[in-house]
Amino acid sequence: MTRRARYLSHLGAAVAVSLTCHAGAALAEPAGQGAALRLVADQSQPTDKQSIEELWALLGMPEMVSILHDEGLAMALTSDMDLLGHEGGPRWEAAVQQIYDEKALQGELHAQLEQQLAQTHLVALCDFYKREDMQDVILHEIAARRAFLDISFEQTARNRWIQGDTSDMLDDTIRVYVDQNDLIELNVMGSLNSNLVFLNALNQSMPDAVGQMSEQDILSHVWSQEIDIRTDTTEWIYAYLHTAYEPVDPAVLERYVAFSATEAGQALNQALFAAFDALYLRLSGDLGRVVGTMSLEEEL
């Protein structure tokens, strides 16, 4: 299976969430006026849906999902020979287009994020991402993520980091950020789980006579990829983050990293990984079933 498109669950445009920003505790109310005061207060607050859409936009989520769609779709469409053993043709293209339907991806991820993130953290998250300096960080994240669609650009960025041709101070800040959000480990495990789901779906779509793999065979194959996936993930993450954060003011980046260590920041990071993992497991399963079905048809 081809590598899954990167999603880098961290705080910013690479991933984002939606949920409400609520007001603080209510003041004591004079007798007989409580209902009227509550009505006025309720009318002054945005609805849950309005707050969800506001945060979704602040975090650049529509743009980021669009990038992930473009990347994942391109990788799948050009992998027919590797996955099928033959050219997929129009049927392969149609199946892949349906799996990676962008509107469906947007809605699915939006719903997953809404489900995963507790409302208790929304005030802090909304306040933080409304800041002009944080919006600047997000714009740089989106620009870098879009640039990484160009394989040659990505490889150049990787080589810069591997050769140490980057700022030591920036590298130290990024390492803190990566470590406190567990970006390497969570992305590696997400990739391994996606590969496992892909192979299980592929296996189940084929009859025994065609040569199903045993559960142990599948697990062994997936774990055999762990070292390569970890190396590739590490290189990609550091290359991407250096590209995104190099233009950012160091003091702004320090605030950004510090926020990711707060309770709200950690809750967001966990919610993002859970949401993206759910999405990629679904994509991997759907792709595995299509590959299995079309491979079987070719055999027949």
Side-chain angles (χ1 to χ4, degrees), residues 38-219:
R38 281 194 296 272
L39 178 59
V40 172
D42 289 344
Q43 291 175 338
S44 69
Q45 297 302 316
T47 66
D48 287 358
K49 186 64 175 178
Q50 287 172 329
S51 296
I52 287 171
E53 297 308 326
E54 179 185 18
L55 190 54
W56 181 265
L58 282 173
L59 293 168
M61 202 59 195
E63 294 86 349
M64 188 53 61
V65 176
S66 179
I67 292 170
L68 297 177
H69 160 267
D70 293 348
E71 182 180 55
L73 180 62
M75 288 168 58
L77 285 174
T78 57
S79 297
D80 52 350
M81 290 298 297
D82 292 333
L83 295 175
L84 300 173
H86 58 86
E87 291 185 0
R91 289 187 61 237
W92 171 253
E93 181 175 351
V96 171
Q97 290 280 2
Q98 183 176 4
I99 291 172
Y100 285 90
D101 179 78
E102 183 173 351
K103 184 176 181 180
L105 294 181
Q106 294 275 359
E108 187 174 349
L109 188 57
H110 190 291
Q112 285 288 342
L113 289 170
E114 181 178 353
Q115 177 182 347
Q116 295 292 337
L117 187 62
Q119 294 187 0
T120 53
H121 302 294
L122 293 176
V123 171
L125 292 171
C126 289
D127 289 346
F128 182 75
Y129 283 105
K130 284 179 181 177
R131 295 170 54 115
E132 184 177 350
D133 54 358
M134 294 305 116
Q135 286 295 293
D136 182 64
V137 173
I138 289 173
L139 289 176
H140 285 299
E141 288 180 340
I142 293 175
R145 196 63 187 81
R146 178 68 70 181
F148 265 51
L149 291 177
D150 183 336
I151 300 301
S152 62
F153 183 95
E154 175 188 328
Q155 190 58 55
T156 298
R158 283 178 182 251
N159 292 339
R160 282 191 62 204
W161 180 74
I162 292 171
Q163 296 166 8
D165 188 20
T166 52
S167 164
D168 290 340
M169 181 178 298
L170 177 59
D171 198 54
D172 289 343
T173 301
I174 289 174
R175 288 184 184 278
V176 170
Y177 183 60
V178 169
D179 289 345
Q180 71 189 16
N181 290 289
D182 207 13
L183 294 185
I184 303 297
E185 193 64 32
L186 291 175
N187 272 289
V188 169
M189 293 308 299
S191 294
L192 291 172
N193 285 332
S194 290
N195 289 352
L196 178 63
V197 168
F198 172 85
L199 289 175
N200 277 326
L202 171 64
N203 206 41
Q204 292 167 9
S205 67
M206 293 181 166
D208 294 338
V210 179
Q212 281 192 344
M213 299 173 67
S214 68
E215 182 177 350
Q216 185 58 50
D217 288 339
I218 291 175
L219 288 173

Side-chain angles (χ1 to χ4, degrees), residues 249-268:
D249 181 274
V252 171
L253 187 58
E254 288 289 346
R255 287 195 292 273
Y256 191 71
V257 173
F259 181 79
S260 74
T262 66
E263 184 178 354
Q266 287 295 295
L268 177 58

